[in-house]
Amino acid sequence: MAGPLLKVERLHKAFGTHEVLRGIDLEIDEGEVMCIVGPSGSGKSTLLRCLNYLEKPKSGAVFLKDEPIGVRWQGDRLYEMTFDQLARQRRRMGMVFQGFHLFPHKTVLENVIEAPIIVNRTPRRKAVEEAMALLEKVGMKDRAHYHPAQLSGGQQQRTAIARSLAMRPELMLFDEPTSALDPELVGEVLATMHQLADEGMTMVVVTHEMGFAREVADELVFMDEGVIVEQGKPADVLLNPQHERTQTFLARMREEA
Amino acid sequence: MRHPGHWIGAVVLFICAAVFLEILVTNQNLQWPVVASYLFSPDILEGLGRTILLTLLSMVIGLAVGVVLAIMRLSANRLFRVVSWGWIWFFRGVPPLVQMIFWYNFALLMPEVSIGIPFGGPKLAAWDTNTLISPFSAAILGLAFTESAYAAEMLRAGIQAVSGGQTEAAATLGMTQLQTLRRIVLPQALRIVIPPIGNDTISMLKFTSLVSVLALPDLLYSAQMIYARTYQTIPLLVVATLWYLVLTTVLTVLEHAVERSFSVGETSRRAHTPWWQRLFRRPFARQREQAA
Ligand SMILES: Nc1ncnc2c1ncn2[C@@H]1O[C@H](COP(=O)(O)OP(=O)(O)OP(=O)(O)O)[C@@H](O)[C@H]1O
Ligand SMILES: [Mg+2]
């Protein structure tokens, strides 16, 4: 395929008068893993949420395989999509949240088969088969019939990853997937994500885990105050940052670690 | 003794209970044989059936309207919100007894009910109001609309208690708004409102006794009709009382069963309360527990 899988062009976003994103340009190729780092409040979550139109950008555009997200052309006029039209596009991008957001009234298995059955109308038996395979992959097969409240944070997050994967997304968005976890549970979630990356999944990961970024990312993006300050191979950005803001940020991260 | 107050209180209560029991057993005016002879009489049983029917129909209609009202109330559409607010304001504010009498006399306001183009346009169908409004339908309207207002407010709280994160998660899975509402939000909201709905059902059962003003032979009015004839007022009121107590007890047990079947998997988080303790549970105590 020619061209990037996901393309972000001159993206701006403001909450009221507060400019949170001030002109973001990005390209993500198929199979690429991109990690986004930056200080709190720099707009990382907002950027990720603009990618699948959970937030509506003020200006600029996001393209998934050249298809604009959230808007469509009709003749020569541009229209905002309805929620249901958006839903068709959102299926193509999985998203994993800091707070898991599993459906608490459903078991692990039911969480995973919900969207395939309801949205894709996959026959239940096939959905269960595929879900069990996914749960095995994320190491949750033996907990398939537990409810989220009975699981550790790490287990919940791995379930959330399986739930997203069940829709066979073309790329996965992760917003600080390990930030809400006890330190001893971070590893298991990162390992699952590492495995996913090795299998060729395209991933955009907002994270504070520099070790993960160095090992897994193909591209590291450093954001501050709504702009991309620096971007490149993780080894380059981490070991040889060009900008002062990047240097300060990395120094502080090292202190905390 | 560390708590003399407890002991004095216990003795006083014991004496009161003994006196009460003595009255129950020995007071001739209670006429237990008469109570026994009417307890299962056809008139009373028919009235009992009507009371149950009124309760269930009013609750089902009230809840159905309440779901729609709650969704309208949370809608992005301002007109929906205002209409829902107005409905809730009105039907929560007017006593069900007043409503029933009002509905029963609806023909005085609107002699004919019709479907068609409003403001003087052609009519597709029309009915005489007096044939539509029977004591029974007037009672159902009054009770169900009152319930709809209460149910809407409970359901709104229930819906709002479902985290926005889940709705977003559902959106990223490609679910439509309707799918999210039906599959994710409503099942959880309904579960949250089961305890208050259980309480409402019990209240509704008691409210149905108001229909005696419409001369609708429910449990109470059937008893009243009998004692108007036989002057056995007290024994027949006892008959009605016993049946009301039986019904509220059954409803409490049912509510417990429903609640348990809905909370499978969450049991680990919840202390198990036996149903006999729940008979005396303070309303909404459970919700406060959950919020904590
Ligand atoms: N819904 C909102 N309404 C108003 N302001 C918002 C909203 N969401 C985010 N913001 C503001 O936008 C800015 C960027 O927020 P964002 O969550 O994108 O930062 P972040 O880089 O993800 O930070 P963190 O590392 O703490 O998660 C912050 O100043 C935040 O207060
Ligand atoms: Mg964030």
Side-chain angles (χ1 to χ4, degrees):
Chain A
M1 197 196 82
L5 176 64
L6 190 80
K7 193 168 170 188
V8 180
E9 277 183 6
R10 297 187 300 281
L11 195 71
H12 286 257
K13 171 72 188 174
F15 292 107
T17 56
H18 181 191
E19 297 240 18
V20 177
L21 298 179
R22 299 180 298 149
I24 301 279
D25 290 274
L26 275 179
E27 288 192 357
I28 297 145
D29 291 327
E30 208 166 320
E32 186 180 339
V33 176
M34 173 179 282
C35 281
I36 303 178
V37 300
S40 182
S42 54
K44 309 180 296 291
S45 296
T46 307
L47 170 59
L48 218 55
R49 293 165 59 82
C50 283
L51 298 186
N52 58 9
Y53 222 76
L54 283 179
E55 300 287 357
K56 182 184 167 186
K58 184 172 129 197
S59 64
V62 177
F63 298 91
L64 182 62
K65 285 193 181 149
D66 293 329
E67 194 183 298
I69 297 294
V71 290
R72 84 205 137 86
W73 292 100
Q74 203 159 27
D76 55 356
R77 288 199 57 183
L78 201 58
Y79 288 91
E80 194 172 3
M81 286 185 177
T82 65
F83 193 98
D84 293 1
Q85 290 168 332
L86 251 176
R88 311 191 129 270
Q89 289 187 326
R90 284 180 173 147
R91 275 171 227 183
R92 302 170 59 189
M93 294 181 264
M95 185 159 190
V96 173
F97 302 85
Q98 184 174 349
F100 327 136
H101 301 326
L102 292 177
F103 308 131
H105 59 306
K106 294 179 182 296
T107 63
V108 165
L109 180 63
E110 287 166 348
N111 264 276
V112 178
I113 61 176
E114 178 69 15
I117 289 180
I118 296 301
V119 177
N120 290 346
R121 308 201 180 288
T122 309
R124 190 183 169 87
R125 183 196 270 232
K126 183 155 176 274
V128 169
E129 222 168 79
E130 291 176 1
M132 288 312 274
L134 281 172
L135 288 174
E136 174 147 39
K137 188 157 110 179
V138 301
M140 287 298 297
K141 196 178 174 194
D142 55 331
R143 298 286 156 104
H145 299 290
Y146 283 48
H147 277 78
Q150 299 166 312
L151 302 175
S152 74
Q155 292 169 333
Q156 290 189 53
Q157 195 59 298
R158 287 184 281 138
T159 305
I161 292 172
R163 177 177 69 175
S164 279
L165 291 176
M167 291 302 282
R168 302 171 180 277
E170 292 162 48
L171 83 163
M172 288 281 285
L173 311 173
F174 293 83
D175 190 2
E176 302 197 28
T178 58
S179 293
L181 299 178
D182 293 336
E184 71 271 18
L185 300 177
V186 168
E188 61 190 56
V189 172
L190 291 182
T192 302
M193 292 167 60
H194 199 146
Q195 184 192 348
L196 206 55
D198 288 346
E199 288 169 9
M201 175 59 78
T202 313
M203 295 164 51
V204 183
V205 186
V206 172
T207 185
H208 290 300
E209 297 293 334
M210 293 302 161
F212 177 84
R214 194 176 51 238
E215 250 178 77
V216 183
D218 301 302
E219 186 87 356
L220 185 68
V221 171
F222 172 69
M223 267 181 80
D224 195 13
E225 294 181 354
V227 293
I228 293 174
V229 177
E230 192 161 349
Q231 168 177 10
K233 297 263 160 264
D236 294 343
V237 178
L238 289 172
L239 299 178
N240 192 14
Q242 299 300 305
H243 290 259
E244 199 193 316
R245 279 195 277 179
T246 322
Q247 291 160 5
T248 321
F249 174 74
L250 291 174
R252 213 178 50 235
M253 290 300 291
R254 255 177 242 120
E255 263 169 44
E256 279 171 23
Chain B
M1 276 197 297
R2 278 179 35 225
H3 297 294
H6 284 193
W7 283 99
I8 298 168
V11 169
V12 171
L13 277 180
F14 182 78
I15 294 171
C16 288
V19 170
F20 181 66
L21 265 180
E22 199 218 345
I23 293 174
L24 277 187
V25 174
T26 63
N27 188 317
Q28 293 306 309
N29 295 332
L30 277 166
Q31 302 181 57
W32 286 107
V34 179
V35 171
S37 70
Y38 277 112
L39 200 53
F40 294 102
S41 79
D43 283 352
I44 292 291
L45 290 184
E46 203 179 305
L48 180 70
R50 202 165 276 117
T51 290
I52 295 172
L53 185 64
L54 277 169
T55 308
L56 294 184
L57 260 182
S58 306
M59 282 309 290
V60 168
I61 297 172
L63 280 176
V65 178
V67 169
V68 176
L69 286 173
I71 293 168
M72 283 170 69
R73 193 93 162 78
L74 293 168
S75 138
N77 184 320
R78 201 190 148 102
L79 180 68
F80 283 179
R81 287 202 308 268
V82 169
V83 168
S84 172
W85 180 89
W87 177 288
I88 293 168
W89 170 78
F90 185 84
F91 286 106
R92 220 162 43 157
V94 182
L97 181 57
V98 177
Q99 281 186 53
M100 278 185 214
I101 301 173
F102 181 82
W103 287 118
Y104 189 54
N105 294 295
F106 199 57
L108 300 179
L109 178 69
M110 307 267 256
E112 188 184 84
V113 175
S114 60
I115 298 178
I117 314 291
F119 310 116
K123 284 175 198 161
L124 298 175
W127 298 271
D128 179 16
T129 304
N130 274 327
T131 59
L132 284 184
I133 298 283
S134 63
F136 190 79
S137 52
I140 292 283
L141 287 177
L143 294 171
F145 286 174
T146 303
E147 173 59 24
S148 74
Y150 284 99
E153 287 296 273
M154 293 184 314
L155 282 161
R156 180 169 71 117
I159 289 173
Q160 283 176 327
V162 179
S163 74
Q166 286 181 53
T167 320
E168 282 191 344
T172 62
L173 291 169
M175 293 173 77
T176 64
Q177 279 174 306
L178 196 65
Q179 287 168 340
T180 307
L181 188 69
R182 205 174 40 124
R183 302 282 311 174
I184 308 301
V185 176
L186 277 185
Q188 293 180 69
L190 285 174
R191 180 172 315 171
I192 292 172
V193 301
I194 282 174
I197 283 177
N199 282 332
D200 268 20
T201 312
I202 291 171
S203 304
M204 179 61 81
L205 174 72
K206 292 180 282 189
F207 272 129
T208 57
S209 63
L210 297 172
V211 303
S212 58
V213 295
L214 304 178
L216 186 63
D218 71 325
L219 177 55
L220 176 63
Y221 195 67
S222 301
Q224 284 176 319
M225 282 197 302
I226 296 172
Y227 72 64
R229 212 167 55 227
T230 65
Y231 299 104
Q232 291 159 321
T233 309
I234 293 294
L236 276 147
L237 285 178
V238 171
V239 167
T241 304
L242 288 177
W243 276 120
Y244 280 119
L245 285 174
V246 167
L247 288 181
T248 47
T249 308
V250 169
L251 283 177
T252 309
V253 175
L254 268 180
E255 184 213 332
H256 180 51
V258 171
E259 209 174 311
R260 275 226 301 188
S261 74
F262 258 86
S263 65
V264 190
E266 287 177 70
T267 38
S268 60
R269 281 194 306 190
R270 287 184 177 176
H272 178 79
T273 324
W275 64 267
W276 57 87
Q277 283 178 25
R278 304 166 69 90
L279 271 175
F280 305 103
R281 188 192 54 213
R282 282 163 299 144
F284 305 110
R286 156 61 65 74
Q287 283 185 311
R288 250 179 272 120
E289 257 166 54
Q290 276 182 340

